[in-house]
Amino acid sequence: MDIRPIRTEQDYDDAVAEIGRLWGAKAGTEDGDKLDILATLVDRYEDARWPTDDSMDPIDLLHFAIDEFGHTQAKLAELLGSRSHASEVLNRKRPLSIEMIRRLNEAWKLPLELLIKPYALETAAA
């Protein structure tokens, strides 16, 4: 793999795959240097693509992905199993399950570290 800037999701996926191949390479070797450079490029891409605001929780992240990346609530419904599930999650009435988190990570490339953050649910009025 030639090392180049990461500009697209395909570039990102290729770099992550190469990091996986190089993982464990000894520092100071050609593979170790390549691993360091790719990890830096991936980190920079992730920082630019995903907000790191500590106040952002998983539901804020879903709204961000819908607003900024062209995803839709209909596509979210497909991933979460139903329109009602998507609506309930977005309105903080239903928590994300592990399976939902896995699907969001795989399909929308949302970072697991942001999807697993704790967040408050809205409680029903008595």
Side-chain angles (χ1 to χ4, degrees):
M1 173 183 186
D2 292 330
I3 295 178
R4 60 186 182 281
I6 299 173
R7 294 187 179 101
T8 66
E9 278 297 311
Q10 186 61 54
D11 292 343
Y12 174 78
D13 290 342
D14 292 345
V16 169
E18 185 69 2
I19 286 171
R21 188 186 74 73
L22 295 170
W23 197 254
K26 293 188 181 201
T29 65
E30 185 176 338
D31 282 349
D33 291 347
K34 193 177 204 181
L35 176 61
D36 284 343
I37 293 166
L38 285 172
T40 301
L41 290 171
V42 164
D43 190 46
R44 181 173 171 245
Y45 180 80
E46 288 173 346
D47 285 347
R49 182 152 170 91
W50 301 111
T52 56
D53 179 357
D54 287 338
S55 66
M56 181 173 273
D57 67 24
I59 305 311
D60 295 330
L61 178 63
L62 291 177
H63 285 288
F64 179 84
I66 289 168
D67 294 342
E68 299 295 323
F69 300 129
H71 297 302
T72 65
Q73 190 167 339
K75 287 293 184 187
L76 180 64
E78 289 177 24
L79 291 172
L80 302 187
S82 73
R83 290 178 63 173
S84 64
H85 285 170
S87 178
E88 290 169 348
V89 166
L90 289 174
N91 289 305
R92 300 173 183 274
K93 305 281 187 209
R94 173 187 292 269
L96 288 168
S97 69
I98 292 173
E99 182 62 23
M100 290 174 180
I101 290 170
R102 185 189 63 74
R103 288 179 187 161
L104 289 164
N105 170 256
E106 289 177 5
W108 287 5
K109 307 294 188 215
L110 299 176
L112 287 173
E113 58 272 11
L114 295 178
L115 287 170
I116 64 170
K117 287 176 68 173
Y119 62 96
L121 294 175
E122 296 290 323
T123 56

